[in-house]
Amino acid sequence: MDENVNLQNENIPTSNNDYSAKDIQVLEGLEAVRKRPGMYIGDQSSRGLHHLVYEVIDNSIDESLAGFCDRIDVTIEENGSISVVDNGRGMPTDEHASGKSATEVIMTILHAGGKFDKGAYQVSGGLHGVGVSVVNALSEWLVVTIWRDGKEHQQRYERGNPVTPLGVTGPSDKRGTKVQFMPDPEIFTTTEFQADVLKARIRELAFLNSNVTIEFADRRPEKPQERTYHYPGGITAFVEYLNKGKEVLFKEPVLIKGNKDKTDVEVAIQYNDSYMERLYGFVNLINTIEGGTHVIGFRTALTRAINDEARRQKLLKEKEANLTGDDLKEGLSAVISVKVMEPQFEGQTKTKLGNSDVKGIVDSVVYEGLKEALENRPEIIKPIVESAIRARQAREAAKKAKELVRRKSVMSGLTLPGKLADCSNRDPEACEIYIVEGDSAGGSAKQGRNREFQAILPLRGKILNVEKARLEKILGSDTIRNIILALGCGVGDDFNETKLRYHKIFIMADADVDGAHIRTLLLTLFFRYMPQIIDQGYLYVAQPPLFRVQIGKEITYCYSEKEMKEAQRDNAGKKIDVQRYKGLGEMNAEQLWETTMNPENRIINKVEVQDAVEADKLFEVLMGDDVEPRRRFIETYGPEVRNLDI
Ligand code: 28F
């Protein structure tokens, strides 16, 4: 018996053929999506492209939240299309009042698929939950297959318009829904799916929905792969995954669950011995990277519960001040997953929770839960308090060393470093900064650049490895302070993107081992202390030429061995001179401009993080304290690593 499909959009056309105003409105609905895709999926770049997949998967997840689905298959097909299959009840196929099938209504009416029943939580809100009709409108083609009532049903659409009726294609004893779609190249700047990006979101969903198994497969010939994601341990397993390979302060993560005023709260906490905080917040399975009231409530409860227990166990002297939220951030790994009936999302990317009542709910659930855990497991509190006291001592020591004073000036970006050759343009959108290794290359870059929109910051020698240092020590390094001052946006919690002085930041270092080390140290600085610069796509690696090939009078610059060989082909017999560039310093200002800085000819590589959790692990392995994991990594991947894409 099919449930009625409750539609939030009343103006559904009355019949099939007389195109009343209402029909036009439906068509306009999908036209509106195609005219302004950004309104529905954020943008038309790779990020918006991957949102299409999340929309479809969310409908399968809703089926699993409702308790009818425990397996989802996500496949990048050989032809580059995406298939998502679930074993839920199957989208309704019965005829709708409008004369169309319920399926066609869901697939072609904006927001028609939104589950109307208030009973279950839905993955919706913000950019999420726009509905599968948006995916349909932005797909060159889409085929929906439904198995229910002993039959297989199927319908095909092109750019949102049905090109076949929903028809029965045969008997079937299966249950569930399959949506296969090809994103429309007329809409997206790229239609190439990134397996790592999809795997990161799938892994997250599997951790957050412990009852569901999600199979991923990439059937494209370049790099076929498949992987199963199923974590019965849920968010406890998520925190253990975050801490894998790290020294944890207590073995079993603390798990806290509670519900209040129809808000579900689930939190897992485990400390490790690093300086980093790894905290992930989710609202209705949406990753709230901008935080929000659930995170504030969590931090308030954590600080209060730990201070109370520390005093009770006399780990803090009477006259000693309470541990602060900052002290308790060091080494914290935590996952906060809340389910809210009517989430209000705020922030630039709609990933900040605004509901004020949720702060108090999370605070009381976490405080009670943590208090109980600390009483039942007395071994937990001591190492946490000792870690927090070390953090506080480091902060106080830095204050004495005036680092924190410098922190103010660095954060406010009031003074510019002397070594910076700034550009005359003041509009960050138009400006670029080259962070250049070595004074000689820095000199050539200053000379060769276009001083209207290109600034140069020469670096001298190695920079501090921030992976192993606290912020206070990092701000003590002149080189790093100069970079932060030149960029003007501050670091860490003080980061303020509106103060960023350049929207293109180039790391320009030699193509040799030293250059690679400097590049990696700088990438670590940006990834750990200014990740927003990477997320916004402002960080690039400049690519100087490796060879200069002169044939007669003709000079060609080559950026790879392959290019260099090609340049020499069909020129046999002529006088050929090949020069291999060892460092930037071998190029004069003119050559450096022409080959590496001139926007017309230069080759640049945008730094992108496709999987933040995996990137976090990679930086820890490559730059962290433990040599053993690094040695294993280099032995395993060293031979194949070309440009280590993070
Ligand atoms: C690969 C993508 O879209 N799966 C879906 C269902 C199941 C139902 C449903 C969907 C109910 C109220 C609209 C079936 N029987 N996978 C999917 N599985 N939609 S989408 O119902 C439509 C909604 O308004 C379903 C009983 N109740 C719900």
Side-chain angles (χ1 to χ4, degrees):
M1 169 60 183
D2 292 328
E3 306 198 355
N4 275 335
V5 177
N6 303 308
L7 296 172
Q8 283 142 4
N9 177 331
E10 277 62 46
N11 46 8
I12 304 303
T14 45
S15 74
N16 257 345
N17 39 31
D18 58 315
Y19 270 93
S20 69
K22 288 180 181 168
D23 284 321
I24 306 297
Q25 196 166 354
V26 166
L27 288 181
E28 272 169 5
L30 298 184
E31 260 324 293
V33 173
R34 289 180 61 82
K35 269 204 194 76
R36 273 177 298 285
M39 295 262 289
Y40 299 87
I41 54 169
D43 61 41
Q44 295 171 247
S45 71
S46 177
R47 205 185 292 251
L49 176 78
H50 288 81
H51 262 288
L52 299 183
V53 194
Y54 307 150
E55 271 310 319
V56 179
I57 294 176
D58 284 352
N59 277 343
S60 298
I61 291 288
D62 280 345
E63 261 311 88
S64 86
L65 288 172
F68 296 96
C69 155
D70 66 0
R71 183 192 162 110
I72 302 171
D73 287 75
V74 180
T75 306
I76 307 178
E77 302 292 354
E78 192 164 352
N79 63 5
S81 67
I82 290 275
S83 296
V84 182
V85 188
D86 70 46
N87 64 348
R89 294 167 288 185
M91 213 183 268
T93 56
D94 51 335
E95 183 169 330
H96 179 261
S98 62
K100 298 180 179 193
S101 68
T103 302
E104 185 169 324
V105 169
I106 292 170
M107 297 308 293
T108 59
I109 311 283
L110 286 186
H111 304 296
K115 304 285 187 296
F116 210 65
D117 41 319
K118 283 291 159 220
Y121 297 103
Q122 289 138 27
V123 193
S124 59
L127 280 180
H128 302 264
V130 288
V132 68
S133 59
V134 167
V135 180
N136 201 7
L138 301 177
S139 294
E140 189 181 335
W141 54 263
L142 181 148
V143 176
V144 60
T145 309
I146 296 154
W147 300 283
R148 61 177 293 146
D149 312 325
K151 296 193 227 50
E152 176 179 284
H153 312 255
Q154 203 164 64
Q155 181 163 25
R156 180 183 170 86
Y157 306 81
E158 284 166 11
R159 293 185 169 87
N161 298 309
V163 294
T164 69
L166 176 69
V168 172
T169 42
S172 166
D173 50 12
K174 285 166 68 175
R175 255 185 355 123
T177 306
K178 174 180 181 182
V179 169
Q180 181 170 0
F181 69 93
M182 179 69 87
D184 188 347
E186 286 176 15
I187 298 279
F188 294 96
T189 55
T190 168
T191 57
E192 185 179 357
F193 290 102
Q194 305 281 339
D196 288 347
V197 171
L198 293 179
K199 285 157 75 178
R201 177 58 182 160
I202 287 168
R203 185 182 58 230
E204 227 170 60
L205 287 169
F207 276 125
L208 297 169
N209 299 277
S210 53
N211 62 314
V212 83
T213 298
I214 310 179
E215 300 276 349
F216 172 79
D218 186 348
R219 303 252 182 273
R220 293 171 297 184
E222 304 83 54
K223 200 178 156 196
Q225 56 179 303
E226 33 188 72
R227 175 124 184 220
T228 300
Y229 294 92
H230 181 212
Y231 303 102
I235 61 171
T236 301
F238 199 162
V239 161
E240 286 169 337
Y241 182 77
L242 294 175
N243 280 337
K244 202 159 78 180
K246 293 185 179 66
E247 225 21 68
V248 291
L249 301 192
F250 47 90
K251 181 115 183 52
E252 185 59 33
V254 171
L255 177 64
I256 299 163
K257 291 188 176 187
N259 186 306
K260 203 170 167 192
D261 304 342
K262 291 192 178 167
T263 298
D264 239 22
V265 179
E266 268 199 50
V267 167
I269 304 166
Q270 187 178 44
Y271 273 86
N272 62 52
D273 68 348
S274 80
Y275 303 142
M276 290 297 301
E277 176 192 67
R278 291 171 181 85
L279 181 140
Y280 290 85
F282 298 91
V283 174
N284 297 1
L285 311 181
I286 291 164
N287 186 347
T288 46
I289 45 178
E290 294 172 274
T293 49
H294 55 321
V295 175
I296 296 167
F298 166 78
R299 289 193 198 284
T300 311
L302 177 80
T303 308
R304 204 153 48 91
I306 288 182
N307 276 299
D308 289 357
E309 186 62 17
R311 299 238 177 247
R312 204 175 67 81
Q313 292 199 25
K314 306 264 182 284
L315 298 172
L316 274 175
K317 298 183 191 65
E318 277 305 304
K319 63 186 185 320
E320 253 188 312
N322 264 358
L323 298 167
T324 67
D326 276 355
D327 297 335
L328 288 164
K329 271 185 174 181
E330 279 203 10
L332 171 65
S333 288
V335 174
I336 307 164
S337 176
V338 298
K339 294 202 176 116
V340 177
M341 294 308 280
E342 313 259 340
Q344 307 303 322
F345 289 94
E346 302 166 357
Q348 200 184 8
T349 55
K350 293 267 179 248
T351 55
K352 181 175 187 174
L353 183 67
N355 302 58
S356 51
D357 57 325
V358 172
K359 176 183 176 311
I361 292 170
V362 172
D363 186 345
S364 60
V365 168
V366 171
Y367 178 77
E368 290 310 319
L370 190 49
K371 190 162 176 292
E372 189 187 333
L374 291 171
E375 279 158 10
N376 298 343
R377 297 175 54 186
E379 83 281 4
I380 295 182
I381 186 73
K382 203 161 183 303
I384 296 177
V385 171
E386 285 165 356
S387 157
I389 288 174
R390 279 194 299 275
R392 174 157 66 185
Q393 285 165 345
R395 206 183 309 284
E396 277 154 9
K399 204 174 285 180
K400 289 198 191 69
K402 290 202 287 297
E403 293 319 343
L404 279 188
V405 170
R406 286 185 168 157
R407 172 177 171 149
K408 293 266 174 306
S409 73
V410 165
M411 296 315 158
S412 57
L414 286 180
T415 52
L416 291 177
K419 298 179 71 72
L420 172 69
D422 208 353
C423 54
S424 53
N425 192 319
R426 278 279 158 275
D427 169 14
E429 290 272 320
C431 296
E432 313 176 344
I433 182 169
Y434 278 77
I435 301 175
V436 190
E437 174 199 5
D439 280 333
S440 76
S444 305
K446 279 181 188 172
Q447 220 180 318
R449 66 173 169 150
N450 176 325
R451 59 187 56 222
E452 196 268 332
F453 68 95
Q454 290 181 326
I456 307 295
L457 179 66
L459 287 191
R460 237 212 343 267
K462 289 272 188 276
I463 71 168
L464 180 78
N465 177 351
V466 301
E467 187 68 17
K468 307 181 199 176
R470 284 194 173 94
L471 181 58
E472 287 70 37
K473 181 146 179 270
I474 290 163
L475 296 178
S477 144
D478 289 344
T479 315
I480 291 185
R481 209 170 45 256
N482 286 342
I483 293 172
I484 299 170
L485 282 171
L487 299 179
C489 53
V491 293
D493 292 345
D494 300 279
F495 182 88
N496 177 348
E497 191 193 312
T498 60
K499 292 193 176 167
L500 180 60
R501 304 178 68 248
Y502 312 94
H503 281 193
K504 280 198 176 68
I505 299 159
F506 291 93
I507 297 173
M508 183 151 79
D510 286 344
D512 61 11
V513 173
D514 282 342
H517 190 203
I518 289 269
R519 196 164 34 249
T520 314
L521 289 164
L522 287 170
L523 287 171
T524 310
L525 171 66
F526 283 104
F527 181 73
R528 290 297 182 205
Y529 287 92
M530 297 177 267
Q532 303 87 336
I533 284 182
I534 298 175
D535 292 341
Q536 289 299 326
Y538 294 154
L539 186 63
Y540 297 82
V541 174
Q543 172 120 36
L546 291 180
F547 302 96
R548 177 180 178 278
V549 177
Q550 176 152 7
I551 302 168
K553 285 266 169 286
E554 174 105 348
I555 292 175
T556 315
Y557 292 104
C558 302
Y559 294 84
S560 67
E561 298 252 349
K562 192 161 156 282
E563 270 183 47
M564 182 264 285
K565 293 206 171 62
E566 252 152 43
Q568 297 179 61
R569 220 180 27 226
D570 50 51
N571 276 305
K574 285 186 196 146
K575 182 176 176 331
I576 297 181
D577 173 55
V578 177
Q579 177 196 350
R580 166 154 200 148
Y581 285 117
K582 291 223 181 15
L584 297 163
E586 289 174 314
M587 271 183 273
N588 64 33
E590 175 54 28
Q591 289 167 329
L592 193 56
W593 159 257
E594 267 317 311
T595 61
T596 314
M597 299 175 73
N598 180 351
E600 258 97 64
N601 322 330
R602 68 189 175 192
I603 290 186
I604 55 177
N605 305 307
K606 184 182 283 189
V607 176
E608 291 176 310
V609 171
Q610 292 171 349
D611 181 340
V613 173
E614 287 311 302
D616 169 69
K617 289 174 178 299
L618 188 60
F619 274 104
E620 166 114 20
V621 163
L622 293 180
M623 311 306 285
D625 274 325
D626 294 1
V627 174
E628 192 40 38
R630 180 164 39 254
R631 200 175 54 72
R632 266 202 311 277
F633 177 90
I634 292 169
E635 273 172 2
T636 315
Y637 299 105
E640 75 190 60
V641 169
R642 284 284 158 271
N643 51 344
L644 181 72
D645 53 346
I646 294 156

